Amino acid sequence: MPGTSGAGCAFIDYDNDGWMEIYLVNSGKANFYNPPLPLHNALYRNNRDGTFTDVTDEAGVAGGGYGMGVAVGDYDADGLPDIYVTQYGRNILYHNNGDGTFTDVTDNAGVAAPGWSSSAVWFDYDNDGRLDLFVCQFAEFDRSLGCGTDSAGVHHYCIPRIFKPRPSSLFHNNGDGTFTDVSRESGIAGHLGKAWGVVATDLKAQTKSKDRDRLPSEIE
């Protein structure tokens, strides 16, 4: 089932030279797929002349799982954009070192969010000045739950509804390079679903803005 999903990409000025680079997420080896050749994500540096150079290896952002999506944000407020890659299996948080390289800090940060993560977004949910992280989980995937095989022995994909929904995750930024999973106390964990994408916005502010254009008698 994850094999039916296209991967994501992001524009990121990772070296702060004022020119946007491109980070492409790719699929990879998993318990349901073993590619004939190694697959990896790719970071292309902008050469400022309409061309790009593949700097994936020197930057250290090749991935290593079955990629799904990516979210860019400066989570430690050092002025450098960091990369969070969602995957089937284990997600990855790459810290921007400021010298053209990144370091995998997932375990120390506590944001691996194992399972089948589809999308993610950085946003400051508690207005403390630090970016927090919301991670979408799509479904509790089990490759043994298939739709049978045909006469040629080919195992077919199933429709999503046979897989159980999962709660998404909300991670609070502690300000020291680590995060705390606050999914349960925030109420996020209480809502199961098959999340595919996420957008962060201030709905209350939008409501107030609309109210300013209405007569008092029109506002309930």
Side-chain angles (χ1 to χ4, degrees):
M1 189 69 197
T4 66
S5 309
C9 67
F11 287 96
I12 171 176
D13 182 11
Y14 82 101
D15 52 1
N16 278 350
D17 64 353
W19 295 76
M20 298 300 288
E21 279 77 40
I22 303 174
Y23 185 76
L24 300 175
V25 179
N26 203 351
S27 57
K29 186 176 181 180
N31 60 6
F32 57 86
Y33 177 59
N34 188 16
L37 297 174
L39 302 177
H40 60 80
N41 302 341
L43 176 62
Y44 290 96
R45 185 184 63 216
N46 193 327
N47 299 325
R48 312 183 193 183
D49 60 1
T51 67
F52 292 79
T53 298
D54 187 339
V55 295
T56 310
D57 291 337
E58 65 182 72
V61 289
Y66 199 90
M68 284 285 155
V70 55
V72 172
D74 181 10
Y75 76 91
D76 56 351
D78 63 355
L80 298 165
D82 308 294
I83 299 174
Y84 186 76
V85 182
T86 57
Q87 303 186 133
Y88 167 77
R90 170 188 179 273
N91 299 336
I92 302 175
L93 176 58
Y94 287 116
H95 175 260
N96 192 329
N97 300 320
D99 58 1
T101 68
F102 291 77
T103 299
D104 183 342
V105 295
T106 312
D107 291 337
N108 181 66
V111 290
W116 179 1
S117 297
S118 55
S119 301
V121 66
W122 296 100
F123 76 117
D124 182 9
Y125 84 94
D126 55 353
N127 284 338
D128 65 354
R130 298 188 292 264
L131 287 179
D132 309 295
L133 181 64
F134 185 96
V135 182
C136 295
Q137 287 280 340
F138 182 68
E140 190 174 320
F141 175 72
D142 183 350
R143 67 173 302 188
S144 68
L145 296 175
C147 291
T149 57
D150 60 19
S151 58
V154 177
H155 192 75
H156 289 276
Y157 291 112
C158 264
I159 53 178
R161 70 167 174 259
I162 73 167
F163 302 110
K164 296 179 180 179
R166 284 178 52 84
S168 293
S169 299
L170 178 60
F171 295 96
H172 176 260
N173 190 332
N174 300 322
D176 59 0
T178 68
F179 291 77
T180 299
D181 188 339
V182 293
S183 308
R184 189 176 300 277
E185 49 265 53
S186 65
I188 297 298
H191 298 275
L192 301 181
K194 296 174 182 177
W196 205 238
V198 54
V199 174
T201 187
D202 185 353
L203 293 177
K204 188 174 182 180
Q206 294 294 325
T207 301
K208 289 180 178 179
S209 177
K210 291 180 180 179
D211 285 348
R212 284 197 295 268
D213 299 327
R214 299 164 65 190
L215 297 174
S217 60
E218 297 176 327
I219 302 176
E220 296 181 356

